[in-house]
Protein backbone atom coordinates (compact mmCIF):
# COMPACT_ATOMS: atom_id res chain seq x y z
CA UNK A 1 0.00 0.00 0.00
CA UNK A 2 1.23 3.49 -0.90
CA UNK A 3 0.02 7.03 -0.12
CA UNK A 4 -0.04 8.86 -3.44
CA UNK A 5 -3.09 11.14 -3.35
CA UNK A 6 -5.86 12.44 -1.12
CA UNK A 7 -8.35 12.22 -3.97
CA UNK A 8 -10.95 9.53 -3.32
CA UNK A 9 -9.71 8.66 0.18
CA UNK A 10 -12.78 8.04 2.39
CA UNK A 11 -13.42 10.41 5.28
CA UNK A 12 -13.08 7.55 7.78
CA UNK A 13 -9.52 6.80 6.59
CA UNK A 14 -8.53 10.47 6.69
CA UNK A 15 -9.90 10.77 10.23
CA UNK A 16 -8.07 7.63 11.37
CA UNK A 17 -4.84 9.10 10.04
CA UNK A 18 -5.49 12.38 11.88
CA UNK A 19 -6.29 10.48 15.10
CA UNK A 20 -3.04 8.58 14.74
CA UNK A 21 -1.17 11.86 14.17
CA UNK A 22 -2.71 13.24 17.37
CA UNK A 23 -1.25 10.24 19.22
CA UNK A 24 2.16 10.79 17.66
CA UNK A 25 2.03 14.47 18.64
CA UNK A 26 1.67 13.22 22.23
CA UNK A 27 4.73 11.00 21.72
CA UNK A 28 6.66 13.98 20.34
CA UNK A 29 5.80 15.99 23.46
CA UNK A 30 7.42 13.38 25.78
CA UNK A 31 10.90 13.94 27.28
CA UNK A 32 12.14 11.13 25.02
CA UNK A 33 10.15 11.69 21.80
CA UNK A 34 10.69 8.28 20.31
CA UNK A 35 8.97 4.87 20.03
CA UNK A 36 10.40 1.56 18.78
CA UNK A 37 7.53 0.92 16.33
CA UNK A 38 9.62 0.67 13.13
CA UNK A 39 12.85 -0.70 14.53
CA UNK A 40 14.69 -2.62 11.79
CA UNK A 41 12.88 -0.85 8.94
CA UNK A 42 14.72 1.30 6.39
CA UNK A 43 13.02 4.43 5.02
CA UNK A 44 14.59 5.96 1.89
CA UNK A 45 13.98 9.63 1.11
CA UNK A 46 14.32 10.19 -2.65
CA UNK A 47 14.25 13.90 -3.43
CA UNK A 48 14.59 14.82 -7.10
CA UNK A 49 13.35 18.37 -6.28
CA UNK A 50 14.39 20.78 -3.54
CA UNK A 51 12.73 20.66 -0.13
CA UNK A 52 13.26 21.87 3.42
CA UNK A 53 10.10 21.07 5.42
CA UNK A 54 8.99 17.84 3.78
CA UNK A 55 12.36 16.20 3.65
CA UNK A 56 13.43 17.10 7.17
CA UNK A 57 10.09 16.16 8.69
CA UNK A 58 10.03 12.77 6.97
CA UNK A 59 13.52 12.15 8.33
CA UNK A 60 12.50 13.28 11.81
CA UNK A 61 9.34 11.16 11.62
CA UNK A 62 11.21 8.01 10.59
CA UNK A 63 13.82 8.44 13.34
CA UNK A 64 11.13 9.11 15.96
CA UNK A 65 9.69 5.70 14.99
CA UNK A 66 13.19 4.17 15.35
CA UNK A 67 13.48 3.39 11.63
CA UNK A 68 16.79 3.74 9.82
CA UNK A 69 16.94 6.47 7.17
CA UNK A 70 18.74 6.68 3.82
CA UNK A 71 18.71 10.04 2.02
CA UNK A 72 19.05 10.52 -1.73
CA UNK A 73 19.24 13.87 -3.55
CA UNK A 74 19.30 13.99 -7.34
CA UNK A 75 21.96 16.72 -7.22
CA UNK A 76 25.30 15.02 -6.62
CA UNK A 77 23.96 11.55 -7.44
CA UNK A 78 24.37 9.32 -10.49
CA UNK A 79 21.04 10.72 -11.76
CA UNK A 80 23.20 13.72 -12.73
CA UNK A 81 25.23 11.30 -14.90
CA UNK A 82 22.10 10.14 -16.68
CA UNK A 83 20.95 7.16 -14.59
CA UNK A 84 17.25 6.61 -15.20
CA UNK A 85 14.51 7.00 -12.61
CA UNK A 86 13.78 3.27 -12.79
CA UNK A 87 17.43 2.23 -12.30
CA UNK A 88 17.75 4.70 -9.44
CA UNK A 89 14.66 3.30 -7.73
CA UNK A 90 15.76 -0.32 -8.23
CA UNK A 91 19.18 0.58 -6.81
CA UNK A 92 17.59 2.07 -3.71
CA UNK A 93 15.49 -1.09 -3.31
CA UNK A 94 18.59 -3.26 -3.69
CA UNK A 95 20.17 -1.25 -0.87
CA UNK A 96 17.38 -2.50 1.37
CA UNK A 97 14.73 0.23 1.43
CA UNK A 98 11.44 -0.97 2.93
CA UNK A 99 9.60 2.22 1.93
CA UNK A 100 10.41 5.14 -0.36
CA UNK A 101 9.42 8.76 0.11
CA UNK A 102 9.54 10.39 -3.32
CA UNK A 103 9.51 14.00 -4.51
CA UNK A 104 9.79 14.56 -8.27
CA UNK A 105 8.96 17.28 -10.75
CA UNK A 106 7.01 14.82 -12.91
CA UNK A 107 3.42 14.02 -11.98
CA UNK A 108 3.08 10.27 -11.59
CA UNK A 109 6.74 9.53 -10.77
CA UNK A 110 5.95 8.16 -7.26
CA UNK A 111 3.31 5.84 -8.72
CA UNK A 112 5.79 4.53 -11.30
CA UNK A 113 8.37 3.89 -8.59
CA UNK A 114 5.82 1.97 -6.53
CA UNK A 115 5.02 -0.19 -9.57
CA UNK A 116 8.68 -0.83 -10.47
CA UNK A 117 9.88 -1.64 -6.97
CA UNK A 118 6.84 -3.22 -5.32
CA UNK A 119 7.65 -1.18 -2.22
CA UNK A 120 5.25 1.22 -0.47
CA UNK A 121 5.78 4.79 -1.67
CA UNK A 122 4.75 8.07 -0.08
CA UNK A 123 4.26 10.89 -2.54
CA UNK A 124 6.18 13.87 -1.14
CA UNK A 125 5.10 16.09 -4.06
CA UNK A 126 4.93 15.20 -7.75
CA UNK A 127 4.85 18.11 -10.17
CA UNK A 128 1.57 19.99 -9.99
CA UNK A 129 -0.30 16.79 -9.14
CA UNK A 130 -0.42 15.92 -5.42
CA UNK A 131 1.31 16.44 -2.05
CA UNK A 132 -0.94 14.32 0.17
CA UNK A 133 0.95 14.56 3.46
CA UNK A 134 0.81 18.37 3.13
CA UNK A 135 -2.97 18.09 2.80
CA UNK A 136 -3.14 15.95 5.92
CA UNK A 137 -0.91 18.16 8.06
CA UNK A 138 -3.00 21.15 7.01
CA UNK A 139 -6.19 19.29 7.90
CA UNK A 140 -4.69 18.38 11.29
CA UNK A 141 -3.77 22.03 11.92
CA UNK A 142 -7.35 23.13 11.17
CA UNK A 143 -8.85 20.32 13.27
CA UNK A 144 -6.70 21.38 16.23
CA UNK A 145 -7.80 24.99 15.81
CA UNK A 146 -11.50 24.56 15.11
CA UNK A 147 -12.26 21.09 16.53
CA UNK A 148 -13.15 19.76 13.06
CA UNK A 149 -13.51 20.84 9.46
CA UNK A 150 -17.29 20.42 9.13
CA UNK A 151 -18.76 23.66 7.80
CA UNK A 152 -15.42 25.52 7.68
CA UNK A 153 -15.21 28.01 4.82
CA UNK A 154 -11.75 27.83 3.24
CA UNK A 155 -10.39 30.13 0.52
CA UNK A 156 -7.32 28.76 -1.30
CA UNK A 157 -5.63 31.80 -2.82
CA UNK A 158 -2.90 32.13 -5.44
CA UNK A 159 -1.24 29.93 -8.02
CA UNK A 160 -3.73 27.09 -7.97
CA UNK A 161 -3.02 26.02 -11.54
CA UNK A 162 0.53 24.89 -10.71
CA UNK A 163 -0.11 23.77 -7.12
CA UNK A 164 0.03 20.17 -5.94
CA UNK A 165 -0.82 21.47 -2.47
CA UNK A 166 -4.11 22.93 -3.72
CA UNK A 167 -5.02 19.63 -5.37
CA UNK A 168 -4.32 17.64 -2.21
CA UNK A 169 -6.03 20.12 0.08
CA UNK A 170 -9.20 20.45 -2.00
CA UNK A 171 -9.90 16.73 -1.69
CA UNK A 172 -8.78 16.34 1.94
CA UNK A 173 -10.64 19.42 3.20
CA UNK A 174 -13.89 18.73 1.35
CA UNK A 175 -13.91 15.05 2.34
CA UNK A 176 -13.65 16.22 5.95
CA UNK A 177 -16.64 18.55 5.57
CA UNK A 178 -15.17 21.96 4.65
CA UNK A 179 -16.35 24.17 1.79
CA UNK A 180 -13.55 25.36 -0.50
CA UNK A 181 -13.40 28.42 -2.77
CA UNK A 182 -10.50 28.78 -5.18
CA UNK A 183 -9.38 32.42 -5.47
CA UNK A 184 -7.01 33.41 -8.27
CA UNK A 185 -6.75 35.39 -11.47
CA UNK A 186 -8.26 33.38 -14.29
CA UNK A 187 -4.80 32.54 -15.64
CA UNK A 188 -3.80 30.92 -12.33
CA UNK A 189 -6.96 28.86 -11.96
CA UNK A 190 -6.89 25.26 -13.17
CA UNK A 191 -7.83 24.74 -16.80
CA UNK A 192 -10.69 22.55 -15.55
CA UNK A 193 -12.13 21.94 -12.11
CA UNK A 194 -14.51 19.29 -13.42
CA UNK A 195 -15.01 16.84 -10.58
CA UNK A 196 -13.58 19.21 -7.97
CA UNK A 197 -16.17 19.97 -5.27
CA UNK A 198 -15.30 23.70 -5.16
CA UNK A 199 -16.40 27.22 -6.10
CA UNK A 200 -14.03 29.61 -7.87
CA UNK A 201 -13.67 33.39 -8.09
CA UNK A 202 -11.06 35.96 -9.09
CA UNK A 203 -12.23 38.42 -6.41
CA UNK A 204 -10.33 37.98 -3.14
CA UNK A 205 -11.74 41.16 -1.58
CA UNK A 206 -15.25 39.86 -2.28
CA UNK A 207 -14.79 36.74 -0.09
CA UNK A 208 -12.62 38.11 2.73
CA UNK A 209 -15.53 38.73 5.10
CA UNK A 210 -16.99 35.24 4.64
CA UNK A 211 -14.13 32.82 5.30
CA UNK A 212 -12.72 31.01 8.33
CA UNK A 213 -9.45 30.06 6.66
CA UNK A 214 -7.30 31.76 4.03
CA UNK A 215 -4.81 29.29 2.57
CA UNK A 216 -2.14 31.23 0.66
CA UNK A 217 -0.06 29.72 -2.13
CA UNK A 218 3.28 30.77 -3.53
CA UNK A 219 3.56 31.68 -7.21
CA UNK A 220 5.31 28.59 -8.62
CA UNK A 221 7.95 30.34 -10.75
CA UNK A 222 9.62 26.98 -11.45
CA UNK A 223 6.41 25.78 -13.17
CA UNK A 224 5.78 28.98 -15.16
CA UNK A 225 3.55 30.77 -12.64
CA UNK A 226 5.17 34.17 -13.12
CA UNK A 227 4.46 34.29 -16.84
CA UNK A 228 0.67 34.33 -16.66
CA UNK A 229 -0.12 37.74 -15.16
CA UNK A 230 1.06 41.20 -16.23
CA UNK A 231 3.31 42.15 -13.28
CA UNK A 232 4.10 41.12 -9.73
CA UNK A 233 2.94 44.50 -8.26
CA UNK A 234 -0.44 44.04 -9.96
CA UNK A 235 -0.74 40.51 -8.53
CA UNK A 236 0.18 41.77 -5.05
CA UNK A 237 -2.36 44.60 -5.25
CA UNK A 238 -5.22 42.15 -5.96
CA UNK A 239 -4.15 38.96 -4.16
CA UNK A 240 -1.47 39.78 -1.58
CA UNK A 241 -2.50 39.16 2.04
CA UNK A 242 -1.68 42.61 3.38
CA UNK A 243 -2.38 43.71 6.93
CA UNK A 244 -5.34 45.68 5.61
CA UNK A 245 -6.89 42.58 4.05
CA UNK A 246 -6.11 40.52 7.16
CA UNK A 247 -8.00 43.06 9.27
CA UNK A 248 -11.07 42.54 7.08
CA UNK A 249 -11.23 38.81 7.88
CA UNK A 250 -13.67 37.54 10.54
CA UNK A 251 -12.19 37.84 14.04
CA UNK A 252 -11.44 34.10 14.44
CA UNK A 253 -10.19 33.50 10.88
CA UNK A 254 -6.73 32.02 10.39
CA UNK A 255 -4.10 32.15 7.66
CA UNK A 256 -2.18 29.09 6.46
CA UNK A 257 0.71 28.76 4.02
CA UNK A 258 2.57 25.56 3.08
CA UNK A 259 5.91 27.36 2.76
CA UNK A 260 8.27 28.50 1.50
CA UNK A 261 6.70 31.96 1.83
CA UNK A 262 7.45 34.86 -0.46
CA UNK A 263 7.09 37.67 2.05
CA UNK A 264 5.86 40.87 0.42
CA UNK A 265 4.22 38.90 -2.41
CA UNK A 266 1.44 36.56 -1.30
CA UNK A 267 1.87 37.40 2.40
CA UNK A 268 3.10 40.48 4.27
CA UNK A 269 5.54 40.26 7.19
CA UNK A 270 2.90 41.61 9.57
CA UNK A 271 0.53 38.77 8.65
CA UNK A 272 3.16 36.01 8.60
CA UNK A 273 4.13 36.85 12.18
CA UNK A 274 0.57 37.20 13.51
CA UNK A 275 -0.69 34.63 16.09
CA UNK A 276 -3.51 33.75 13.70
CA UNK A 277 -1.01 32.77 11.00
CA UNK A 278 -0.49 29.04 11.66
CA UNK A 279 2.48 28.45 9.36
CA UNK A 280 4.80 27.02 12.02
CA UNK A 281 2.00 24.89 13.53
CA UNK A 282 1.66 23.38 10.06
CA UNK A 283 5.38 22.60 9.97
CA UNK A 284 5.32 21.03 13.44
CA UNK A 285 2.28 18.90 12.56
CA UNK A 286 4.16 17.60 9.53
CA UNK A 287 6.25 15.34 11.76
CA UNK A 288 3.27 13.69 13.48
CA UNK A 289 1.35 13.25 10.24
CA UNK A 290 4.34 11.66 8.55
CA UNK A 291 4.87 9.37 11.54
CA UNK A 292 1.24 8.29 11.17
CA UNK A 293 1.69 7.60 7.45
CA UNK A 294 4.97 5.66 7.87
CA UNK A 295 3.51 3.66 10.75
CA UNK A 296 0.42 2.77 8.70
CA UNK A 297 2.36 1.77 5.56
CA UNK A 298 5.11 -0.21 7.23
CA UNK A 299 2.62 -2.45 8.98
CA UNK A 300 2.99 -1.02 12.42
CA UNK A 301 0.41 -3.27 14.01
CA UNK A 302 0.65 -3.60 17.73
N1 LIG B 1 5.52 22.65 1.97
C1 LIG B 1 6.59 22.07 1.37
O1 LIG B 1 6.45 21.10 0.63
O2 LIG B 1 7.78 22.65 1.67
P1 LIG B 1 9.20 22.12 1.17
O3 LIG B 1 9.24 22.35 -0.33
O4 LIG B 1 10.22 22.92 1.90
O5 LIG B 1 9.27 20.66 1.47
Amino acid sequence: MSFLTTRGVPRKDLEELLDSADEFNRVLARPIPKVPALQGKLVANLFFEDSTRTRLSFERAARALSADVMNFSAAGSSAAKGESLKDTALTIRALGADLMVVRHKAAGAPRRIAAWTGRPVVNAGDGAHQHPTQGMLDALTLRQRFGGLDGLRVAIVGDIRHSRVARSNVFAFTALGAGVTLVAPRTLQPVSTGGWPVDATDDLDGVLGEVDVVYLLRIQAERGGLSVFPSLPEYVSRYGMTRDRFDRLPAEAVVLHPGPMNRGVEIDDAVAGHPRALVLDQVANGVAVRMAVLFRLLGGSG
Side-chain angles (χ1 to χ4, degrees), residues 14-160:
L14 297 177
E15 286 180 335
E16 278 177 14
L17 198 65
L18 296 179
D19 292 344
S20 175
D22 278 340
E23 288 183 33
F24 284 121
N25 260 331
R26 286 189 278 278
V27 168
L28 291 167
R30 292 179 192 161
I32 299 174
K34 197 161 178 153
V35 288
L38 297 185
Q39 223 160 31
K41 301 288 187 187
L42 177 58
V43 172
N45 290 321
L46 279 65
F47 279 70
F48 296 86
E49 262 194 346
D50 298 340
S51 169
T52 297
R53 283 148 283 269
T54 310
R55 179 180 175 146
L56 290 175
S57 61
F58 266 113
E59 182 165 354
R60 170 104 210 271
R63 293 191 193 286
L65 292 165
S66 302
D68 293 315
V69 181
M70 187 161 63
N71 288 315
F72 166 91
S73 294
S77 77
S78 288
K81 301 181 210 163
E83 189 164 34
S84 71
L85 182 63
K86 183 174 183 178
D87 283 336
T88 302
L90 293 176
T91 299
I92 301 285
R93 184 183 69 176
L95 289 168
D98 293 298
L99 176 148
M100 300 185 201
V101 175
V102 177
R103 171 168 289 192
H104 200 283
K105 68 175 190 240
R111 187 179 295 278
R112 297 296 295 154
I113 288 176
W116 287 325
T117 63
R119 293 286 185 271
V121 170
V122 184
N123 181 358
D126 60 334
H129 175 225
Q130 278 276 327
H131 190 355
T133 56
Q134 180 73 45
M136 295 312 297
L137 72 89
D138 292 330
L140 183 65
T141 304
L142 292 179
R143 194 170 83 156
Q144 285 172 346
R145 184 75 176 196
F146 294 102
L149 275 72
D150 275 313
L152 274 189
R153 299 160 301 172
V154 181
I156 299 181
V157 183
D159 185 358
I160 295 156

